[in-house]
């Protein structure tokens, strides 16, 4: 059984993001980049399924610039058997990524695709759902538990009212939430082994996919700076300020 795990190269979550002076986007020059944390969770889950004997091959996939090869090498150091990069300098939108992943799924024929529920840079939370629609596969989003057996996958997902349990027939798509697992640390021996694993590079046009952007970012601005808080002597004063100044009650 083959599992496809899309991974995205994003600004590291420990880095303070800065907006370019001209407001055209986020400054990523000389900024540490890493694998999207939700995708790390997805890859860890795929590895656990493989270690449990439920999966035979894990393929890491990334779409973007040449430097995404570093992200794929990290994925292979975590345990992915091989990597595929769809290389393009175009700023990819969720729909374009979903179309590229569909083309790869048609080619690779995986039985399961596991990806992070969202990326921490654009927070779109769209790619998994769009990919499921394009492929016509069942989907389970925000997974907090995954059980694979007897040709189906049972997913516990987090919803506003608590937990929902879904049983999906394969092939299927799962998007991962934070509480699904804790990703492993990458060891030096595995980093060295990852350098010898196969990494294929292809282009969107080779897959027959048009990735021309449909949206245009007009301006990016930093959030307004928060003013300093104040201390109040008692509850009555707090309620009065909430009513007269903040006007929230």
């Amino acid at each position: 059984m083959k599992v496809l795990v899309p991974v995205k190269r994003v600004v590291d979550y420990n880095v303070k993001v800065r907006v370019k002076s001209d407001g055209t986007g986020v400054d990523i020059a000389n900024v540490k980049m890493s694998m999207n944390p939700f995708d790390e969770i997805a890859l860890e889950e795929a590895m656990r399924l493989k270690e449990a004997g439920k999966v035979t091959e894990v393929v890491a996939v990334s779409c973007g610039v040449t430097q995404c090869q570093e992200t794929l090498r990290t994925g292979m150091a975590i345990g992915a058997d091989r990597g595929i990069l769809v290389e393009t300098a175009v700023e990819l939108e969720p729909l374009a990524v979903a179309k590229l992943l569909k083309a790869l799924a048609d080619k690779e024929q995986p039985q399961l695709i596991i990806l992070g529920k969202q990326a921490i840079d654009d927070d779109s939370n769209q790619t998994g759902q769009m990919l499921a629609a394009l492929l016509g596969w069942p989907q389970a989003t925000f997974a907090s538990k995954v059980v694979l057996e007897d040709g189906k996958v049972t997913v516990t997902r987090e919803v506003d009212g608590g937990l929902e349990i879904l049983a999906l027939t394969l092939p299927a798509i799962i998007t991962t939430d934070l509480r699904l697992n804790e990703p492993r640390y990458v060891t030096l021996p595995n980093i060295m082994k990852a350098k010898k694993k196969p990494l294929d590079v292809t282009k969107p046009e080779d897959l027959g996919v048009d990735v021309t952007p449909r949206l245009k970012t007009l301006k990016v601005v930093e959030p307004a700076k928060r003013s300093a808080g104040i201390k109040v002597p008692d509850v009555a004063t707090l309620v009065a300020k909430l009513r007269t100044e903040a006007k929230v009650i």
Side-chain angles (χ1 to χ4, degrees):
M1 177 176 175
K2 183 189 296 185
V3 176
L4 212 64
V5 183
V7 295
K8 186 176 183 180
R9 178 177 180 263
V10 299
V11 176
D12 189 88
Y13 68 92
N14 287 312
V15 173
K16 178 176 173 55
V17 176
R18 299 184 183 279
V19 175
K20 293 179 181 178
S21 57
D22 58 2
T24 57
V26 173
D27 187 4
I28 60 172
N30 301 315
V31 171
K32 181 183 178 184
M33 308 292 283
S34 62
M35 185 186 298
N36 178 45
F38 289 103
D39 296 338
E40 280 190 85
I41 294 170
L43 188 54
E44 173 66 26
E45 192 63 23
M47 293 313 306
R48 293 188 184 191
L49 291 173
K50 184 180 179 183
E51 290 164 356
K54 306 291 180 67
V55 169
T56 55
E57 184 182 22
V58 176
V59 183
V61 179
S62 192
C63 306
V65 295
T66 305
Q67 291 86 338
C68 290
Q69 291 189 31
E70 301 169 9
T71 307
L72 288 171
R73 291 295 177 191
T74 300
M76 289 186 280
I78 292 173
D81 298 289
R82 57 189 175 93
I84 301 174
L85 171 61
V86 182
E87 187 177 4
T88 176
V90 176
E91 186 174 347
L92 296 173
E93 296 168 0
L95 181 58
V97 175
K99 289 180 177 179
L100 291 171
L101 293 177
K102 179 192 181 297
L104 287 174
D106 291 339
K107 181 180 178 181
E108 293 287 332
Q109 293 294 306
Q111 284 71 54
L112 189 62
I113 299 178
I114 309 177
L115 65 162
K117 69 171 185 176
Q118 64 194 78
I120 63 172
D121 50 4
D122 56 17
D123 272 335
S124 292
N125 181 22
Q126 295 175 341
T127 304
Q129 293 89 327
M130 288 178 170
L131 178 58
L134 291 172
L135 285 169
W137 290 7
Q139 62 174 306
T141 56
F142 313 147
S144 59
K145 184 180 179 181
V146 175
V147 178
L148 180 62
E149 58 185 7
D150 300 329
K152 69 177 183 179
V153 58
T154 303
V155 178
T156 303
R157 61 186 302 266
E158 299 187 356
V159 295
D160 291 340
L163 299 176
E164 180 181 49
I165 299 176
L166 300 176
L168 312 178
T169 55
L170 299 178
I173 291 175
I174 297 172
T175 72
T176 60
D177 212 338
L178 282 173
R179 279 161 286 280
L180 179 58
N181 61 51
E182 185 174 340
R184 67 193 67 187
Y185 288 104
V186 179
T187 62
L188 182 58
N190 286 336
I191 292 175
M192 302 307 293
K193 290 178 185 177
K195 293 181 179 180
K196 298 180 181 179
K197 291 183 178 180
L199 196 162
D200 299 326
V201 180
T202 186
K203 303 283 187 181
E205 49 268 27
D206 297 334
L207 298 172
V209 177
D210 179 14
V211 295
T212 304
R214 297 165 180 258
L215 304 175
K216 181 179 179 181
T217 301
L218 300 179
K219 190 175 182 181
V220 178
V221 296
E222 292 188 9
K225 296 187 181 300
R226 296 178 62 182
S227 56
I230 61 171
K231 291 184 179 180
V232 293
D234 50 45
V235 175
T237 306
L238 173 62
V239 172
K241 286 186 175 293
L242 290 174
R243 179 177 292 118
T244 60
E245 296 181 16
K247 298 186 185 303
V248 295
I249 58 174

